[in-house]
Amino acid sequence: AKALGKSRYEVFDRTMHVQAVGQLALEADLRRALQNQDFILHYQPIVDLRTGDISGLEALVRWQKSTTELIYPGDFISVAEDTGLILDLGMWVLREACETTRAWQLQFPRERPLTISVNLSARQFAQPDLVPQIQHIIADTGIDPETVRLELTESATMANAERAISVLGQLRSLGVRISIDDFGTGYSSLSYLHRFPLDVLKIDRSFVLQMDNAKEGLQIVHTILNLARSLSMEVVAEGVETERHLRKLRALGCEAGQGYYFSRPVNVAGIQALLASPPEW
Ligand code: C2E
Ligand code: CA
Ligand code: CA
Ligand code: CA
């Protein structure tokens, strides 16, 4: 009976064991990467569809594992979340993005200063000292808080609506703007949405893609745009990949877009070049 029990255990747990060991190794690697400052930021332009100007940037973290190996967030963010490493990593991202953008704002002055969007994970949002931490980074870097946009997903905010409303209000009191990311993929209750202090709605790229096929695709984007207007929110369409997407979004009156059609996320030198000589969109 003992032997049977053991072999059953082995069959059962081998894949789980491999996963757990893999997870532990990844956690150790991530911890080291954080200490060694092996993370870098790429930035993707957000384009004002009315003028074709770059109105802002989204900061997207990458792990520079070796000189030739760049690891994308899909392969480490969830482990960073589970282990809590996202707390330190997230604050590093915010500080780095604010510092770098502040320099660009000074180097490329304009009527409406360049905005910087930074992703906040659910785990970060749940931290009791989130607001003072962000306040500290904004003060340290000297960035105008009105140019900082914190991106949150529906699920991060809907878990505890009353708390979310309060925290979002406090963040807004710092002067920063709040974006709701991947809109339409979560299950935010529309009846709650108007109670949340939100500034920007980012339409998930799955809806932009759907504009290619069915008529309903166009209708959905149209409906989201109307919803955003009724809530006085600005809209950014994600996943603008083709000229056709751009044309349709412009026709619908969508004010901003982001996607490979304009630019992939690029490193600091890449953004520097785009800001110095902006393409004609
Ligand atoms: P996200 O916040 O929705 O960011 C947009 C993702 O879509 C980026 O992937 C970007 O490269 C990709 N993308 C942009 N334009 C297009 C397009 O036209 N077509 C397609 N197919 N994709 C496009 P990336 O950089 O791999 O990031 C994936 C996700 O990882 C992000 O999704 C975000 O949820 C998370 N993430 C990235 N950086 C951070 C961070 O600093 N903190 C946190 N908490 N999460 C982050
Ligand atoms: Ca132009
Ligand atoms: Ca985002
Ligand atoms: Ca998104």
Side-chain angles (χ1 to χ4, degrees):
K2 203 179 172 192
L4 182 67
K6 185 166 184 258
S7 71
R8 209 192 278 148
Y9 165 85
E10 283 177 354
V11 172
F12 251 88
D13 274 6
R14 190 161 294 140
T15 55
M16 275 175 61
H17 179 72
V18 167
Q19 275 172 14
V21 168
Q23 178 113 346
L24 272 177
L26 181 52
E27 179 184 350
D29 278 357
L30 283 175
R31 219 174 272 286
R32 210 170 309 119
L34 205 53
Q35 279 164 4
N36 297 348
Q37 300 191 288
D38 289 339
F39 291 100
I40 61 163
L41 293 185
H42 279 182
Y43 297 88
Q44 187 177 34
I46 296 171
V47 175
D48 184 327
L49 300 186
R50 292 158 302 196
T51 61
D53 297 333
I54 296 175
S55 59
L57 305 169
E58 177 172 359
L60 296 156
V61 71
R62 277 92 180 83
W63 174 15
Q64 187 80 64
K65 203 172 177 192
S66 68
T67 42
T68 53
E69 245 185 316
L70 197 61
I71 317 282
Y72 285 77
D75 290 332
F76 65 84
I77 284 285
S78 71
V79 171
E81 278 254 325
D82 293 347
T83 56
L85 285 170
I86 194 72
L87 300 175
D88 286 342
L89 178 59
M91 286 305 145
W92 176 82
V93 168
L94 181 65
R95 181 177 292 274
E96 178 74 16
C98 288
E99 254 170 34
T100 306
T101 304
R102 167 108 174 99
W104 281 325
Q105 288 170 343
L106 293 172
Q107 191 186 350
F108 303 99
R110 40 162 107 180
E111 204 178 331
R112 287 162 161 268
L114 199 65
T115 64
I116 181 67
S117 296
V118 176
N119 294 287
L120 278 196
S121 78
R123 182 87 180 242
Q124 287 180 274
F125 190 69
Q127 279 306 101
D129 61 347
L130 176 75
V131 178
Q133 280 204 49
I134 290 177
Q135 180 169 30
H136 188 73
I137 289 174
I138 289 187
D140 268 3
T141 57
I143 197 165
D144 175 355
E146 304 205 345
T147 64
V148 176
R149 296 174 166 194
L150 303 176
E151 299 199 350
L152 284 151
T153 59
E154 293 162 75
S155 50
T157 51
M158 293 295 162
N160 180 344
E162 293 311 320
R163 179 181 178 274
I165 290 166
S166 156
V167 174
L168 293 177
Q170 292 170 50
L171 288 172
R172 253 203 181 164
S173 305
L174 299 181
V176 302
R177 304 285 191 261
I178 312 292
S179 302
I180 198 91
D181 206 353
D182 306 338
F183 184 81
T185 59
Y187 31 105
S188 53
S189 147
L190 292 187
S191 60
Y192 268 141
L193 209 53
H194 77 279
R195 297 185 47 213
F196 282 71
L198 303 171
D199 303 286
V200 182
L201 185 160
K202 297 188 80 170
I203 303 182
D204 189 72
R205 66 186 170 86
S206 59
F207 300 108
V208 173
L209 268 180
Q210 281 179 53
M211 294 196 309
D212 286 334
N213 311 312
K215 236 207 167 91
E216 300 84 72
L218 208 67
Q219 190 57 50
I220 291 173
V221 173
H222 183 67
T223 303
I224 298 176
L225 283 167
N226 281 337
L227 172 71
R229 276 181 202 123
S230 75
L231 297 166
S232 303
M233 290 173 75
E234 190 185 317
V235 176
V236 178
E238 304 194 80
V240 181
E241 291 186 351
T242 62
E243 160 103 66
R244 226 166 91 107
H245 290 158
L246 174 59
R247 225 178 322 114
K248 289 185 173 181
L249 288 165
R250 275 189 167 136
L252 289 171
C254 182
E255 52 261 52
Q258 177 180 356
Y260 295 167
Y261 176 76
F262 301 116
S263 168
R264 292 192 172 248
V266 293
N267 64 18
V268 164
I271 290 296
Q272 192 82 17
L274 278 172
L275 291 174
S277 47
E280 270 306 310
W281 285 312

